[in-house]
Amino acid sequence: MLRLGIVGLPNVGKSTLFNALTSSKAAAAENYPFCTVEPNVGVVEVPDPRLERLNELVKPKKKVPAVVEFVDIAGLVKGASQGEGLGNQFLSHIREVDAVVHVIRCFDDPDVVHVMGPVDPVRDHDVITSELALADLAVVERRLEKTRKTARAGDKDAQAELVVLERVVAELDAGRGAREAGESEEAVKFLRQLGLLTAKPILYAANVNEDDLASGGGKWLAQLRAAVQAHHEEAEIVLFSAKFEAELGELSGDERTEYLASAGVSEPGLDRLIHAGYRLLGLQTFFTVGENEVRAWTMHRGGTAFDAAGEIHSDFQRGFIRAETVSFADFARVGSYKAAGNRDWCGARGGTTWCRTATFCCSASTSSAGSTSPRHRSCVATPTRIPGALRPGPCTPPRPLIRRRAPSSGSRPAPVRRPRRAT
């Protein structure tokens, strides 16, 4: 499950965004600083019209969408690392998230109090970036002291770790994020293990008014883009209006569609935020389809059919043989997996086949007894393309593998009798 942590200054729309995302009033969103004290956690369904279409075609007993978890913490202020405001005591709650959503105020409203006075997205960006860097610096310095002692003793792993940590300290002292120090895959993996916030992918949510939402941004948004580029951040900026999203959340059906059209947008900003999180982390959706349920799953782009099987269940991956796939477009065109198989639109794929989005595959694995397990058969959304995959064919399960039982550790094999020589 994708997990996103929401950060920002007090009173910039974080809690309003959280409430709109989760369709609840769980987070306090009053017009005064530090109205959020305890962290709020909410689980949100990932919007996907393909899942709705599959549900209409298959008519299963239940529909299970993919979900995203959002964590909203108290606002940070300048000097939070020294205890200003509520301090940075709540940052520990988002050290385990996959990415950080930084909410920045990009609208001017005298009725909404700003904790630092006039609206200035560049200043707000720099304050939060600095406070996250200082919080990470405290973590790195504690680790650095221990690593130096181990490195002096001749430990090669500690010596390699020391080089990365010293590079991280240099980046943080310069006001940049720890992600700049990840020059190799090993270094990036190590930084993620430390839970450094500035090493995580970041996504900016610009809270604008309704007029700027329709026009695609205003002067404040242009300033924010310039600040992000100045810090060499490869981060996407998603426009949303917290006030508009809160009002939209109270509508449904045609009223919701008309309200979106009146604002000049095609989809809610919350949907755009979730989709941007998927793009940021390189994720894609695949589906399982059956009479009991239609379910959406999440996997990394570039993964294989074998990886997709592991997202469903470890046993499913352990006994994986092959997957038979059909694209979403073909499935939606004929309305069933059987009809797609009759037209030879199903392709059998091996475990090393790469997967793209919006494809189904009927997979089969073997149980411990050697027979194909019915509970391991389902339609999975994983389009595939890679040389070496099996040729397309009808949607039929593969022949089960025959596995011979190994003798138990306690029993001895029967002695082999040799024929006597003739005298």
Side-chain angles (χ1 to χ4, degrees), residues 134-172:
L134 290 171
D136 284 347
L137 188 61
V139 174
V140 174
E141 286 178 344
R142 289 195 297 268
R143 181 65 176 253
L144 190 61
E145 184 179 353
K146 297 179 181 178
T147 304
R148 279 174 177 159
K149 295 179 180 179
T150 311
R152 291 194 201 100
D155 190 304
K156 293 184 178 180
D157 292 337
Q159 292 172 355
E161 180 180 315
L162 182 62
V163 174
V164 177
L165 290 175
E166 289 177 343
R167 194 161 58 237
V168 170
V169 171
E171 294 293 340
L172 294 176

Side-chain angles (χ1 to χ4, degrees), residues 122 125-126 129 175-176 180 204 226-234:
V122 177
H125 168 275
D126 294 345
T129 301
R176 296 185 292 267
E180 300 293 332
Y204 289 97
V228 172
Q229 292 175 359
H231 283 74
H232 306 288
E233 294 176 318
E234 297 180 0

Side-chain angles (χ1 to χ4, degrees), residues 395-411:
C395 298
T396 54
R399 296 180 62 184
L401 297 177
I402 300 176
R403 298 181 179 177
R404 300 184 182 275
R405 289 186 177 180
S408 60
S409 58
S411 60

Side-chain angles (χ1 to χ4, degrees), residues 205-412:
N207 188 6
V208 300
N209 58 36
E210 293 186 31
D211 294 335
D212 290 339
L213 183 65
S215 63
K219 62 177 182 178
W220 305 119
L221 183 63
Q223 294 180 13
L224 176 58
R225 284 200 175 102
V228 172
Q229 292 175 359
H231 283 74
H232 306 288
E233 294 176 318
E234 297 180 0
E236 185 174 349
I237 301 176
V238 179
L239 289 182
F240 83 101
S241 172
K243 181 180 178 181
F244 175 80
E245 297 294 337
E247 296 172 351
L248 182 66
E250 298 178 357
L251 304 176
S252 61
D254 294 338
E255 292 182 347
R256 183 181 178 89
T257 304
E258 292 176 1
Y259 195 60
L260 281 170
S262 65
V265 293
S266 58
E267 63 177 344
L270 310 181
D271 292 3
R272 296 196 302 273
L273 183 63
I274 293 174
H275 294 155
Y278 267 60
R279 290 192 297 270
L280 178 67
L281 297 173
L283 302 177
Q284 66 181 14
T285 303
F286 67 97
F287 310 92
T288 57
V289 178
E291 295 180 358
N292 291 329
E293 70 174 23
V294 170
R295 181 186 291 262
W297 306 82
T298 302
M299 67 178 294
H300 286 280
R301 290 187 180 274
T304 63
F306 180 77
D307 298 326
E311 294 294 335
I312 299 172
H313 199 282
S314 57
D315 290 344
F316 190 69
Q317 186 179 49
R318 190 178 302 114
F320 183 83
I321 302 174
R322 66 175 186 179
E324 291 180 342
T325 69
V326 58
S327 70
F328 169 79
D330 290 340
F331 187 95
R333 192 182 313 170
V334 296
S336 71
Y337 195 77
K338 182 178 181 180
N342 292 337
R343 299 193 182 193
D344 288 344
W345 287 349
C346 299
R349 313 294 178 180
T352 58
T353 303
W354 289 66
C355 298
R356 295 172 297 176
T357 190
T359 304
F360 305 84
C361 64
C362 182
S363 302
S365 63
T366 56
S367 63
S368 58
S371 61
T372 304
S373 175
R375 69 185 180 89
H376 284 163
R377 294 213 46 222
S378 59
C379 295
V380 185
T382 45
T384 55
R385 62 175 184 129
I386 270 275
L390 301 178
R391 293 183 300 173
C395 298
T396 54
R399 296 180 62 184
L401 297 177
I402 300 176
R403 298 181 179 177
R404 300 184 182 275
R405 289 186 177 180
S408 60
S409 58
S411 60
R412 296 182 179 179

Side-chain angles (χ1 to χ4, degrees), residues 1 30 50 75 109 114 127 184 343 398:
M1 179 173 59
E30 284 76 14
R50 296 169 301 176
D109 187 345
H114 193 293
V127 166
S184 64
R343 299 193 182 193

